[in-house]
Amino acid sequence: MLARYVVRRVVASIPVVFGVTLITFGLLHATSGAFVPGLELNPNLRPEDIIRIRNNLGLNDPLPVQYWHWISGLLHGDFGRSLVDGSPVLRHISDRLPNTIELTITAILLGILISIPLGVVGALRRGSVIDNFFTFLSVAGVSIPSFWLALLLILLFSVSFHAWGLPWLPSGGAESAFGGGDPIDRITHLILPATCLAFVYIAIWSRFTRSSMLEVLSQDYVRTARAKGMSERRVTYLHALRNSLVPLVTLIGLELPGLVSGGAIIEIVFSWPGVGRLALERALQYDYTMVLGLTTFVALLVVVGNLLADVIYALLDPRIRYA
Amino acid sequence: MADHLLEVQDLHTVFPTKDGVVKAVDGVSFHLDPGETLGIVGESGSGKSVTVLSVMRLLQRPGRIASGRILYKGRDLAKASDPEMQEIRGEEIAMIFQDPMTSMNPVFKTGWQVGEPLRLHKNFDAKKALKEAVGFLHKVGIPEADKRADQYPHEFSGGMRQRAMIAMGLSTGPNVLIADEPTTALDVTIQAQILDLLRKVNHDFGTATILITHNLGVVAGMCERVMVMYAGKVAEQGPTEDVFANPKHPYTWSLLRSIPRLDAQEHEPLRAIEGLPPDLINPPTGCPFHPRCPFRIDRCIREMPPLEPVGPTQLATCWVTQAGRDLNEAAS
């Protein structure tokens, strides 16, 4: 049953991916500007050179033909080449992706591990001092801009701690330039950006867990569970929690594209060599093929994230599988 | 009278709210003997469910037991600790609820849920508990019980779920089974099947049963004794036959009179009880039924009558009948 469900979901997502490529391609070609940055301004090129270069790049072909070249390349796993440095787009992505995954997965795990207990405690002790404190933290987490929080964290843990002679954390990069790269070194670099990124997740997810848990705790089957004579702990963590996690899974699944988009600001503040920073740098350089490739890649992540969420959803709630 | 299986004495359960304290259960006393079936009848809000939820100590916050004793085998459950109550619930006293569609956890398989009390109370391992659960599902009349045990609750119909709930309650062999309106959410034909099953359970397993219902017909067919509740108080209790033949409280009398009859004259109006149920925050003075009572005397407005024997077998809280008047005669 579950396998059939997954296959059905995968097949259903194919048109979505196709539509996304069409829209991305269309939008980028609708924006004004030369498709090859700075070509017209280069004094060493004659007009016929420019025409020749554009012809070589296929930019004078009709749009459908260009789209066909691009999409057939995509189907073969070829995202094209960067217009800035001529190297394959896919290689840029695969160079940067591990860093981004490292950062985001750490942040997501931190978020899950902290937000769920916070939400559960908040629900169980609704209205208490501790619940109000968590509420305050959540509002703060959502309201504080992450770049500002990032700068403050750097100021405190990197600059001030260094000045006070305390053990300090690096302010940027994924590893030390000299002699870095061992796991300890990478972890120390990871702490600040991951915390910063996780802070927002914790703020949102803990609220979500709390309200979802409150709703589940008032359900009849929770009363049934109590009537069976189990401990309150078992009622909460076995019978109630699993039900309350179902909607949270969707929310977390939707964070997967945040690999690139949401983390971009943090990647920039902490000079983290990830995909988000790559996307921003290249967008500023008018590297169209790169932006096209990255956007398509993010779209794929959205689809995969949703798919993953749906599968976990079905694993948690048997009613979904047959719907 | 220490040999009652369960004896509730002067139970008061309150719900503090913004508008004031709701006295949901206000001085209720009753008892249950081994193997017998007691019906609790009353309209919505009369405190039937809150009474049994108090016995199980499963009140939703902010509800709490204000005073009274709940003696089970001589132990006072009103004062029992949480771990003590966890031992009692599901093992000594089991409970099934009104709506079988929402009373089972949607994310666990039925057999697992039915076997859970066995794992909790009898230390069965998962395999043994499941085997036993399948046995009980079979006993409550679920066909292909071994396959059904492997299904989730949403794959069951309402009647089948209520059967599964009963199997869940019975699996540990409890002394008391509390059924809180077990058939209200079901089709009429299924209702009859579930009531049959409850009767069979009571007969075969000797489980004392408290059946809460607002259906007087169900009580007539199922229960040896009946307790009628009104506004959180006991109106009347006694053997079902006697109460039905000769009600000793005007509320019971009105209830019985309001049942539509098949042999009624055409276009004869239904006889409803005049007035509205009382406000439980500011109940009427004296007897809470007095504003609606056709037999009211002055004393009813001033003083609440105690629960006292009226006739050889019944107890009632009514000045009129306690003074020796017969309601059927008085009405005619």
Side-chain angles (χ1 to χ4, degrees):
Chain A
M1 269 305 190
L2 189 62
R4 241 178 63 194
Y5 172 82
V6 173
V7 169
R8 214 164 57 209
R9 295 288 304 144
V10 171
V11 172
S13 56
I14 292 173
V16 177
V17 177
F18 178 74
V20 165
T21 60
L22 212 59
I23 292 170
T24 318
F25 189 84
L27 278 179
L28 271 180
H29 281 268
T31 53
S32 56
F35 213 79
V36 184
L39 208 60
E40 282 85 352
L41 302 174
N42 192 332
N44 296 325
L45 293 177
R46 291 168 300 168
E48 52 266 42
D49 292 332
I50 294 173
I51 292 167
R52 205 181 60 247
I53 290 173
R54 290 183 64 90
N55 272 337
N56 286 347
L57 289 170
L59 290 174
N60 291 332
D61 294 338
L63 270 188
V65 176
Q66 289 192 41
Y67 177 73
W68 171 249
H69 285 308
W70 178 64
I71 194 84
S72 53
L74 268 190
L75 287 175
H76 293 93
D78 178 10
F79 277 64
R81 285 172 178 272
S82 159
L83 290 179
V84 170
D85 56 26
S87 53
V89 169
L90 202 57
R91 205 172 72 212
H92 279 279
I93 295 177
S94 60
D95 277 352
R96 296 292 193 96
L97 195 59
N99 292 329
T100 296
I101 289 177
E102 181 183 324
L103 174 60
T104 319
I105 295 295
T106 311
I108 288 182
L109 283 180
L110 268 180
I112 292 173
L113 290 178
I114 296 174
S115 68
I116 292 178
L118 287 192
V120 172
V121 170
L124 292 180
R125 306 202 182 165
R126 179 171 28 144
S128 67
V129 176
I130 197 153
D131 181 33
N132 286 330
F133 178 66
F134 290 163
T135 307
F136 168 78
L137 274 190
S138 298
V139 175
V142 178
S143 333
I144 295 175
S146 54
F147 67 88
W148 186 73
L149 179 69
L151 290 174
L152 283 193
L153 288 179
I154 291 173
L155 192 62
L156 179 66
F157 290 104
S158 305
V159 181
S160 298
F161 270 43
H162 188 222
W164 297 333
L166 291 167
W168 48 278
L169 290 166
S171 66
E175 54 186 53
S176 301
F178 301 103
D182 58 286
I184 304 274
D185 179 56
R186 285 197 74 98
I187 289 171
T188 51
H189 279 81
L190 191 58
I191 293 173
L192 282 185
T195 310
C196 218
L197 201 53
F199 198 61
V200 186
Y201 294 155
I202 293 168
I204 299 170
W205 297 347
S206 67
R207 289 276 84 188
F208 207 80
T209 310
R210 179 183 178 273
S211 60
S212 172
M213 193 76 188
L214 275 180
E215 196 191 310
V216 169
L217 281 175
S218 67
Q219 296 288 324
D220 287 349
Y221 54 78
V222 170
R223 190 178 55 184
T224 306
R226 291 205 177 104
K228 287 183 190 176
M230 63 188 76
S231 63
E232 205 50 28
R233 178 185 295 256
R234 188 180 162 101
V235 171
T236 308
Y237 289 97
L238 189 70
H239 282 261
L241 187 59
R242 183 154 162 196
N243 280 286
S244 66
L245 286 186
V246 173
L248 187 69
V249 167
T250 318
L251 207 65
I252 296 176
L254 290 176
E255 281 307 325
L256 204 58
L259 275 172
V260 179
S261 57
I265 293 167
I266 301 289
E267 288 189 357
I268 288 158
V269 177
F270 287 101
S271 318
W272 189 264
V275 180
R277 208 177 109 207
L278 176 71
L280 191 83
E281 287 166 0
R282 292 311 170 110
L284 293 174
Q285 293 173 32
Y286 297 91
D287 192 345
Y288 284 91
T289 42
M290 194 69 124
V291 173
L292 199 55
L294 281 169
T295 315
T296 314
F297 184 72
V298 176
L300 275 173
L301 284 182
V302 176
V303 172
V304 171
N306 272 322
L307 192 67
L308 217 60
D310 282 347
V311 170
I312 298 175
Y313 207 90
L315 282 176
L316 283 174
D317 190 342
R319 284 169 298 183
I320 309 293
R321 283 172 231 169
Y322 306 87
Chain B
M1 300 278 270
D3 51 351
H4 292 311
L5 180 59
L6 178 71
E7 182 167 14
V8 173
Q9 296 172 342
D10 198 27
L11 178 71
H12 291 259
T13 301
V14 296
F15 287 80
T17 66
K18 263 180 276 175
D19 304 319
V21 176
V22 177
K23 300 179 194 95
V25 174
D26 197 11
V28 165
S29 304
F30 66 93
H31 65 87
L32 183 73
D33 287 325
E36 81 170 335
T37 303
L38 170 72
I40 302 183
V41 212
E43 57 199 7
S44 309
S46 60
K48 314 179 294 269
S49 293
V50 177
T51 303
V52 291
L53 286 174
S54 302
V55 171
M56 288 292 272
R57 294 267 306 275
L58 283 175
L59 293 164
Q60 289 270 5
R61 279 195 303 178
R64 61 183 181 84
I65 297 172
S67 66
R69 301 209 292 169
I70 301 163
L71 299 175
Y72 174 77
K73 288 185 174 171
R75 273 163 82 189
D76 188 2
L77 300 188
K79 294 190 174 61
S81 65
D82 285 346
E84 280 178 287
M85 277 318 295
Q86 282 160 21
E87 287 297 310
I88 301 253
R89 285 183 207 131
E91 166 139 41
E92 302 276 340
I93 308 178
M95 187 160 178
I96 57 175
F97 298 96
Q98 180 172 349
D99 190 352
M101 304 311 269
T102 56
S103 293
M104 293 182 86
N105 197 323
V107 304
F108 297 111
K109 287 181 177 170
T110 311
W112 186 91
Q113 293 191 56
V114 172
E116 199 177 18
L118 289 170
R119 296 196 305 278
L120 289 167
H121 296 294
K122 309 277 185 207
N123 290 322
F124 279 25
D125 60 41
K127 218 173 144 188
K128 205 172 155 203
L130 185 63
K131 205 176 147 224
E132 197 76 354
V134 170
F136 271 98
L137 287 173
H138 181 72
K139 277 181 204 158
V140 297
I142 293 182
E144 296 183 276
D146 51 335
K147 270 188 209 148
R148 299 294 260 170
D150 200 38
Q151 293 181 335
Y152 291 93
H154 70 271
E155 298 169 73
F156 279 54
S157 66
M160 284 296 158
R161 278 196 221 186
Q162 199 59 294
R163 283 172 193 270
M165 286 293 291
I166 293 172
M168 194 187 290
L170 288 180
S171 61
T172 52
N175 289 316
V176 180
L177 180 68
I178 299 176
D180 186 358
E181 306 207 22
T183 59
T184 306
L186 303 173
D187 288 345
V188 180
T189 47
I190 310 293
Q191 284 187 17
Q193 292 174 12
I194 295 295
L195 291 172
D196 269 346
L197 176 61
L198 284 173
R199 201 179 293 130
K200 186 167 166 277
V201 163
N202 176 252
H203 186 264
D204 295 357
F205 297 84
T207 315
T209 308
I210 298 180
L211 179 71
I212 296 183
T213 177
H214 49 244
N215 187 336
L216 291 169
V218 169
V219 173
M222 291 277 304
C223 307
E224 289 143 30
R225 283 194 310 118
V226 61
M227 171 164 86
V228 181
M229 288 187 69
Y230 185 80
K233 294 180 162 71
V234 178
E236 170 170 10
Q237 48 181 275
T240 310
E241 266 180 54
D242 299 349
V243 171
F244 276 44
N246 209 347
K248 298 295 186 199
H249 193 284
Y251 176 60
T252 323
W253 182 85
S254 310
L255 268 188
L256 288 167
R257 222 173 59 116
S258 67
I259 300 173
R261 299 176 64 100
L262 273 178
D263 56 358
Q265 298 289 315
E266 209 175 335
H267 303 307
E268 186 178 314
L270 291 173
R271 289 189 224 177
I273 304 179
E274 302 280 322
L276 294 169
D279 177 358
L280 292 177
I281 295 175
N282 297 305
T285 55
C287 169
F289 192 60
H290 86 253
R292 304 169 77 180
C293 182
F295 307 99
R296 177 180 58 220
I297 55 174
D298 282 350
R299 197 177 183 189
C300 302
I301 303 171
R302 296 190 313 266
E303 275 177 84
M304 173 67 200
L307 184 65
E308 291 208 334
V310 178
T313 52
Q314 287 154 267
L315 296 165
T317 51
C318 180
W319 294 124
V320 178
T321 55
Q322 284 173 13
R325 277 182 79 190
D326 184 278
L327 297 180
N328 286 329
E329 273 172 30
S332 58

